[in-house]
Amino acid sequence: MAIFSVQARPSGATAWTDLARRVEAAGFDALLAADHPGHGASPFVALAAAAAVTSTLGLGSYVSNAGLREPILLATDVATLDVVSGGRARLGLGAGHTPAEWRAVGRERPDVAARVRRCVAVAEAVRDLLAGKEVTVDTAELVVRGARLTELRPVRDRVPLTMGTANSALLRWAGAHADVVGLTGFGRTLADGHAHDVRWRADQIEAQLAHVAAGAAGRDTPPALEALVQQVTVTDDAEAAAASIAADTGLGVGDLLATPFVLIGTADEIVAAVAEHRRRWGVTRFVVRENAADQLAPLLPRLAG
């Protein structure tokens, strides 16, 4: 069984609520909103609007930048979303990669190690806050003093946490603590501050999964593995459709089509590819962009089978 969610950004009230209804009716698991302050909508405001017109659809940030978000504010947003949606909130976290977002709040982007430490500290603080605990942290990366959700608590005892990353340390932490490991396949951030090198070769995916497995050792139930799909194309000529992406990423077309980060081919080929990703990598969850929702909707019954 494969589970599919849709990541999207609202551009208007009617289009956004229509999308939420359409995604729910098609059988997608969740509607997820990106979190890039200054470059898009507030995810939690947008998701609360989607909650008002849906009844079963999961709703979450994908992913919130732990480098910019303070734990008490993030926990309050997540708890509020869980309450107004009747227990459907999800929390996605990542270490953040866009330098402009740090500069917009008056800081320079820290190095990778510091971003990872901050992300783990925020994840642990938010988890404890949502569980009703009082949180105090005093480190170079995070300072929290006596924070607590005193009046508003989530509907559920545990709001599912997705850690979106390709960083080895975060993959190990996610293996030990997250509900879902969001495999981004992203490598080094490029000069524009937004695009990335990719880690999509088979040996790179295997290395990432090894870190998750190491972190999950000893857990009764390991986290689910989820791939962020960058391109979905239903076509009779997969090689032609994949050629430009292969050139951009430096992968051969065959290697590209074997990754879980693209789904390109006929309906039958995509269904077979999803089954192979589960068999080979253990990936059972996929997040696709809004423009892929209508292409995949007719395939969901087969993909979930």
Side-chain angles (χ1 to χ4, degrees):
M1 179 178 180
I3 295 171
F4 280 77
S5 298
V6 174
Q7 184 199 51
R9 295 186 181 191
S11 58
T14 299
W16 178 249
T17 53
D18 284 351
L19 174 66
R21 292 188 186 96
R22 194 166 76 249
V23 165
E24 181 175 68
F28 288 96
D29 183 62
L31 178 62
L32 307 170
D35 190 4
H36 294 290
H39 297 280
S42 163
F44 298 103
V45 174
L47 293 165
V53 298
T54 57
S55 59
T56 61
L57 191 65
L59 303 159
S61 59
Y62 205 88
V63 291
S64 289
N65 183 341
L68 306 183
R69 298 295 190 185
E70 294 299 326
I72 189 63
L73 301 178
L74 189 54
T76 299
D77 283 342
V78 173
T80 303
L81 179 61
D82 205 52
V83 168
V84 302
S85 68
R88 292 185 279 141
R90 315 277 179 87
L91 172 60
L93 275 179
H97 61 84
T98 306
E101 293 181 2
W102 268 269
R103 289 195 292 271
V105 297
R107 305 201 304 271
E108 288 300 313
R109 186 185 67 171
D111 63 19
V112 172
R115 297 203 307 273
V116 167
R117 290 192 297 269
R118 164 85 184 195
C119 187
V120 168
V122 169
E124 292 176 343
V126 172
R127 179 190 59 193
D128 288 346
L129 288 165
L130 292 172
K133 298 179 182 180
E134 183 174 301
V135 174
T136 295
V137 181
D138 191 354
T139 68
E141 287 74 38
L142 180 66
V143 176
V144 177
R145 297 191 177 96
R148 189 166 192 168
L149 298 181
T150 60
E151 297 181 12
L152 183 73
R153 294 283 306 284
V155 172
R156 291 164 299 172
D157 292 335
R158 181 183 176 97
V159 174
L161 169 65
T162 297
M163 181 64 77
T165 189
N167 175 270
S168 57
L170 283 181
L171 288 168
R172 289 191 295 273
W173 186 92
H177 301 287
D179 299 282
V180 178
V181 179
L183 301 169
T184 65
F186 291 159
R188 178 178 58 90
T189 304
L190 301 180
D192 69 356
H194 297 278
H196 304 265
D197 286 336
V198 298
R199 298 173 181 170
W200 291 0
R201 295 196 318 268
D203 61 325
Q204 293 172 318
I205 296 172
E206 289 167 358
Q208 292 168 58
L209 297 181
H211 290 301
V212 176
R219 283 185 70 169
D220 292 336
T221 303
L225 300 177
E226 181 173 78
L228 177 59
V229 180
Q230 300 296 328
Q231 180 70 36
V232 175
T233 304
V234 180
T235 174
D236 291 333
D237 192 345
E239 291 192 0
S244 63
I245 304 172
D248 289 343
T249 58
L251 274 69
V253 169
D255 291 333
L256 176 72
L257 293 174
T259 77
F261 303 109
V262 300
L263 294 173
I264 300 174
T266 65
D268 289 343
E269 288 169 341
I270 288 174
V271 171
V274 168
E276 176 63 8
H277 298 326
R278 177 173 184 168
R279 185 200 67 79
R280 184 177 186 183
W281 314 115
V283 174
T284 59
R285 303 179 65 95
F286 298 83
V287 175
V288 301
R289 311 295 191 185
E290 177 182 355
N291 60 8
D294 290 338
Q295 293 187 78
L296 280 180
L299 302 183
L300 287 185
R302 296 176 62 189
L303 294 167

